[in-house]
């Protein structure tokens, strides 16, 4: 039986003009994850990743930490995140101020959760985005690819909270509100694991930050 390791990207640049790049902390989180796996002798037989810059930068950090002995990544747009700004504009057309305070931060994510629920329910169609069933179907297709092609292998998958929570929702058959709750809890560089068997995938761990357990990484936990 193989294992699929689903990794959310390192901390990105939330609140900046260009969110899609890792912060200094995000680069360090990715590098540390690779080092942690290298210390434990983990090797990967296949690598899958979204095509966003934060996915590529996270994978680069992991590979550096592992020492470079990693298969060439397969780039899959199905692993790219939904457009959170398009979602929020669908339920709140007026511009939002930058989330520079705790209350504005909470407001942003309240609106995002509301928009996600409406998108999943089919009541809004955010500009430039597929519908929820198409998004979910893309993630399901990647899981099927892993199940059919990588039984008995260790597979690394680097993506974002939306596709990872959708993948977990597929495996556990969670309702939309639970999938959204899972999405909001996935931390930067966190690892979730699926066992890969010929007939199904099974969740083994969720949202783990074992690579940051040491005291020197006590303040490295981030969510955006």
């Amino acid at each position: 039986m193989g294992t699929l390791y689903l990794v959310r990207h390192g901390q990105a640049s939330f609140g900046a003009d260009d969110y899609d790049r890792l912060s200094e902390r995000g680069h360090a989180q990715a590098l540390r994850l690779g080092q942690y796996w290298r210390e434990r002798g983990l090797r990967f037989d296949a690598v899958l990743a979204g095509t966003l810059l934060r996915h590529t930068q996270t994978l680069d950090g992991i590979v550096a930490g592992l020492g470079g002995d990693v298969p060439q990544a397969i780039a899959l747009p199905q692993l790219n995140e939904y457009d959170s700004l398009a979602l929020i504009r669908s339920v709140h057309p007026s511009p939002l101020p930058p989330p520079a305070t705790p209350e504005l931060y909470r407001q942003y994510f309240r609106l995002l959760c509301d928009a996600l629920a409406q998108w999943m329910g089919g009541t809004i169609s955010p500009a430039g985005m597929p519908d929820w069933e198409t998004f979910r179907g893309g993630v399901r297709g990647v899981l099927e690819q892993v199940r059919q092609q990588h039984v008995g292998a260790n597979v690394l998958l680097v993506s974002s909270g939306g596709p990872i929570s959708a993948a977990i929702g597929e495996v556990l058959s969670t309702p939309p509100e639970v999938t959204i709750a899972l999405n909001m809890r996935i931390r930067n560089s966190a690892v979730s694991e699926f066992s890969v068997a010929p007939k199904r995938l099974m969740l083994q761990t969720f949202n783990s930050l074992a690579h940051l357990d040491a005291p020197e990484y006590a303040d490295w936990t981030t969510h955006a």
Side-chain angles (χ1 to χ4, degrees), residues 110-165:
R110 282 195 299 267
L111 289 168
L112 179 58
C113 288
D114 179 34
L116 283 168
Q118 294 192 49
W119 178 48
M120 291 176 173
T123 60
I124 61 172
S125 299
M129 282 179 52
D131 60 35
W132 163 246
E133 288 305 321
T134 300
F135 181 90
R136 177 184 176 190
V139 173
R140 185 189 305 119
V142 173
L143 296 181
E144 281 298 300
Q145 177 180 331
V146 171
R147 188 182 62 79
Q148 293 174 12
Q149 300 179 12
H150 300 294
V151 172
N154 286 330
V155 180
L156 171 61
L157 184 156
V158 178
S159 183
S160 293
I164 291 172
S165 60

Side-chain angles (χ1 to χ4, degrees), residues 21 25-26 29 69 86 103 105 115 120-121 132 141 158 173 216-217:
R21 54 184 172 82
R25 177 52 50 82
Q29 291 166 336
D69 187 15
E103 179 52 40
Y105 183 89
M120 291 176 173
W132 163 246
V158 178
S173 299
E216 58 264 39
Y217 309 118

Side-chain angles (χ1 to χ4, degrees), residues 7-90:
V7 177
R8 187 188 176 208
H9 60 80
Q11 184 188 52
S13 299
F14 184 73
D17 290 338
D18 181 12
Y19 172 75
D20 190 25
R21 54 184 172 82
L22 295 190
S23 66
E24 183 178 346
R25 177 52 50 82
H27 284 288
Q29 291 166 336
L31 178 65
R32 175 59 198 145
L33 178 56
Q35 292 169 337
Y36 175 85
W37 280 335
R38 185 179 186 183
E39 291 162 3
R40 283 149 185 79
L42 180 60
R43 298 175 65 88
F44 292 101
D45 304 293
V47 179
L48 313 174
T51 64
L52 300 177
L53 179 60
R54 58 189 182 273
H55 302 153
T56 302
Q57 291 179 331
T58 299
L59 179 58
D60 287 345
I62 293 170
V63 170
L66 283 166
D69 187 15
V70 177
Q72 180 68 37
I74 300 171
L76 297 172
Q78 303 95 303
L79 296 176
N80 289 349
E81 185 63 290
Y82 50 70
D83 186 339
S84 59
L85 293 179
L87 280 159
I88 289 173
R89 289 190 194 105
S90 294

